[in-house]
Amino acid sequence: MLEEEILAILKEQSKTVVLVTHDIGEAIAMSDRVVVMSKRPATVKRIYEVGLASQHGSGLKARSDIRYNEFFDSIWTDLDIQIGRGA
């Protein structure tokens, strides 16, 4: 519910927000763009153009988009490789 409330406020007010989270699902469901950072010293590792909430008008509906899982898996792989568990 909080995600939906925040998205509604942002749409109504036409504001830009930087959301810092460790929750991959939240980032994908709420964001137009997800930036994956590297280990310290932090640099931008990869930028994902997501925009599912904007396309569907809802973070909840964004989670049902087939691309949601594709973004999640790709971001998880970027982070997993970064901590030394991936290929």
Side-chain angles (χ1 to χ4, degrees), residues 5-6 13 15-16 20 28 31 40 46 52-53 65 71-72 74-75 86-87:
E5 186 67 25
I6 292 170
Q13 306 246 338
K15 299 289 182 185
T16 299
V20 179
I28 296 166
S31 304
R40 292 181 186 169
R46 186 164 174 191
L52 299 179
D65 188 300
F71 281 122
F72 193 101
S74 186
I75 292 168

Side-chain angles (χ1 to χ4, degrees), residues 2-20:
L2 182 59
E3 286 180 8
E4 295 303 316
E5 186 67 25
I6 292 170
L7 288 169
I9 292 168
L10 295 176
K11 185 176 181 178
E12 176 185 302
Q13 306 246 338
S14 297
K15 299 289 182 185
T16 299
V17 173
V18 176
L19 170 69
V20 179

Side-chain angles (χ1 to χ4, degrees), residues 1-86:
M1 286 176 33
L2 182 59
E3 286 180 8
E4 295 303 316
E5 186 67 25
I6 292 170
L7 288 169
I9 292 168
L10 295 176
K11 185 176 181 178
E12 176 185 302
Q13 306 246 338
S14 297
K15 299 289 182 185
T16 299
V17 173
V18 176
L19 170 69
V20 179
T21 183
H22 290 91
D23 185 329
I24 298 169
E26 178 180 61
I28 296 166
M30 294 185 68
S31 304
D32 290 328
R33 193 173 296 113
V34 174
V35 179
V36 176
M37 304 297 291
S38 70
K39 290 181 181 180
R40 292 181 186 169
T43 59
V44 173
K45 182 174 181 178
R46 186 164 174 191
I47 299 173
Y48 291 87
E49 298 293 333
V50 182
L52 299 179
S54 296
Q55 292 172 16
H56 293 286
S58 161
L60 187 58
K61 290 179 183 174
R63 291 175 186 266
S64 65
D65 188 300
I66 192 164
R67 295 169 294 169
Y68 174 90
N69 288 332
E70 294 168 2
F71 281 122
F72 193 101
D73 291 345
S74 186
I75 292 168
W76 180 259
T77 298
D78 276 346
L79 294 172
D80 203 35
I81 288 171
Q82 189 165 280
I83 59 174
R85 293 191 296 218

